[in-house]
Amino acid sequence: MLLTSFTTHPHEAGLDEAGRGCLAGPVFAAAVILPPDFHAPYLNDSKQMTARRREQVRADICREAIAWAVAEASSTEISEINIAQASYLAMHRAVQQLPITPDFLLVDGNRFRPYPGLEHACIIGGDALYQSIAAASVLAKTFRDERMRALAEAYPYYGWEQNAGYPTPKHREAIRAHGPCEHHRLGFRLL
C-alpha cells in the first residue's frame, strides 16, 4: 500500500522522470499533487505496471489530481548538459507548469537540483512508496511513450513504438544499419 504523503503540507508534489537510460528521445518528468483521499487501485511504480494499467491509472490521475504537469528536456539539451542535469531541468519545468504552487517537493531518487523557494526530499525508490511519486512516474512514462510512438512514425526502423528509445538489440542494430538521427543522444554510447 502506497503512502499518501511525506509531510503534512496540503500541496505536496511528487516528482519523477522517465527515459533517463534511453539512447534516443527526450527525458520526460511529471509533477503531481494528489488529494489526500486519492485512490487508484492499480497505482504503483510505472515499471511494475502493464501498459494497459498505466493508461487506466493515467486517466484517474489526470481527472482527480489537484494539479499535474508534464515537461521534457530534449535530446539536444541532454547532449549539452548531461542526462542528470536534463532530468532536473525537466522536473523544474514540470513544477513551473503546475497551475498552483506546491508547498513541498517529494522527488524520486537520491539527487535533485533544489528548486528555488521550495523545500524537497529525495526518496530512493519513492515511486514504489508514495502515491504522488508513483502518479508522477505513470504520467512521465505514458506521456514519453506516447511521444516515442509518434517519433517512430517518422523513424520506423528504430522500433521506438516498442522499445521507446531504450538500448535494445533491435534499436542498436538499426543504429548500425541506418546511423543515428537527430533524436539520438549523441553523448551516449550508441553502439
Side-chain angles (χ1 to χ4, degrees), residues 18-19 24-28 72-75 78 144 147-148 151 183 185:
V27 62
F28 269 60
E72 66 184 89
S74 70
S75 54
I78 293 166
R144 186 179 188 283
R147 171 67 58 78
M148 294 309 291
L151 288 174
H183 297 289
R185 300 173 183 178

Side-chain angles (χ1 to χ4, degrees), residues 2-5 9-11 33-39 64 66 131:
L2 297 173
L3 302 169
T4 54
S5 66
H9 297 297
H11 295 138
I33 301 171
L34 294 173
D37 61 347
F38 180 80
H39 179 69
E64 297 177 31
I66 294 170
Q131 283 194 94

Side-chain angles (χ1 to χ4, degrees), residues 19 33 36 56 58 72 90 103-104 106 108-109 117 119 121 131-132 153 155 158 161-162 176-177:
I33 301 171
Q56 289 172 336
R58 171 180 160 167
E72 66 184 89
D103 303 317
F104 190 85
L106 194 57
D108 184 54
E119 290 183 58
Q131 283 194 94
S132 63
E153 292 179 19
Y155 301 90
Y158 296 118
E161 71 284 356
Q162 293 178 334
R176 269 188 210 90

